[in-house]
Amino acid sequence: MRFVWQLLAVAAVWIVGNLGTAAVKDNPWLALVAGLLTAVVAVLVYRWVVRRTEHRAPVEVSLKGAGSGISWGTLLGIALFGAVIANIAFFGDYTVNGLGNPASAVTLLGIMAGAAVAEELVFRGVLFRNIERWTGTWIALVLTGSLFGLIHLANPNATLVGAFAIAIEAGGMLTAAYIATRKLWVPIGLHFGWNIAASAIFSTEVSGSNTAQGLLDATMSGPALVTGGAFGPEASVYAVVFGVLATGLFMWLAYRRGHVVPVRRSARADVAARLTR
């Protein structure tokens, strides 16, 4: 039941936060505040429900190292998505026409802040962490990564290719970032940095969700294999390649640090317990 209570508590904040941010999206500063408030409340609720249901300190959201984890995760997310855009632009399929809509970029910062925190708490903090106890690291990574891709099929311009790409590049990369660090701060920063680069900075479509224009007035054209088509650059082959490379790096670090929970039941409990102390 602890799994159910954790999921319900954090998902409730996610849903209410999304509704609140959407209600004030026409006011950039209110949207920014609403998104940040959603992020803070989600973390507080997660900490509370984990303490109540698992009777332990939620070390995965310990404030120690939060600032540095979010900061370098955000920078890495921006850099990775920037590399995707650079490769698309190399073939002339991404063109900057001038300044876009700075006010909208502020709104997008709020939206992406709330989404990044809430989604990481749900998918990595609740789903992956609990499933890993039952199956081990690799099976939990595949299951939750696949689910992360599937939920993006609900977006207006969703495609099967886009959902598959999200499952690999985001579901894999973000989960691997958590496994390597055993903290949620780096995947939160990575998620946020990737999303604000896609939306607030480069003004591209984010997961086929009819994303508003951001800081740059830019246009994309070319084959869907390169640009991602209506789903956006996350369905580009470049996004998948960079996501796989990042996943591989994080999993290498995870093995070096002894953070991978084995499939064997006899060895699983001891490793999982050690990683939550």
Side-chain angles (χ1 to χ4, degrees), residues 6 14 97 99 148 203 227:
Q6 290 171 13
W14 184 10
N97 305 310
L99 185 65
F148 193 66
S203 300
T227 66

Side-chain angles (χ1 to χ4, degrees), residues 75-100:
L75 291 174
L76 179 59
I78 293 172
L80 283 170
F81 196 85
V84 173
I85 292 297
N87 278 276
I88 296 174
F90 180 79
F91 291 99
D93 295 324
Y94 177 86
T95 305
V96 177
N97 305 310
L99 185 65

Side-chain angles (χ1 to χ4, degrees), residues 76-158:
L76 179 59
I78 293 172
L80 283 170
F81 196 85
V84 173
I85 292 297
N87 278 276
I88 296 174
F90 180 79
F91 291 99
D93 295 324
Y94 177 86
T95 305
V96 177
N97 305 310
L99 185 65
N101 190 337
S104 178
V106 173
T107 298
L108 288 167
L109 286 174
I111 292 171
M112 297 308 171
V117 173
E119 289 179 23
E120 290 311 301
L121 291 172
V122 167
F123 280 91
R124 262 53 71 177
V126 177
L127 292 173
F128 173 80
R129 193 173 52 78
N130 281 285
I131 294 172
E132 185 185 41
R133 287 199 188 102
W134 308 328
T135 66
T137 294
W138 280 106
I139 294 175
L141 187 153
V142 171
L143 290 176
T144 57
S146 300
L147 180 60
F148 193 66
L150 284 173
I151 67 162
H152 288 80
L153 285 174
N155 292 348
N157 298 310

Side-chain angles (χ1 to χ4, degrees), residues 215-226:
L215 190 61
L216 298 176
D217 176 14
T219 54
M220 292 186 69
S221 60
L225 183 67
V226 174

Side-chain angles (χ1 to χ4, degrees), residues 168-190:
I168 295 174
E169 74 205 24
M173 176 174 66
L174 296 170
T175 306
Y178 169 70
I179 297 166
T181 61
R182 289 295 162 175
K183 296 285 190 296
L184 286 166
W185 304 123
V186 172
I188 283 172
L190 185 55

Side-chain angles (χ1 to χ4, degrees), residues 3 14 45 47 51 53 64 74 87 102 218 228 247 250 258 265 271:
F3 169 77
W14 184 10
V45 168
R47 289 172 62 88
R51 285 183 185 276
T53 56
K64 183 179 180 181
T74 299
N87 278 276
T247 300
F250 279 125
R265 186 174 182 179
V271 177

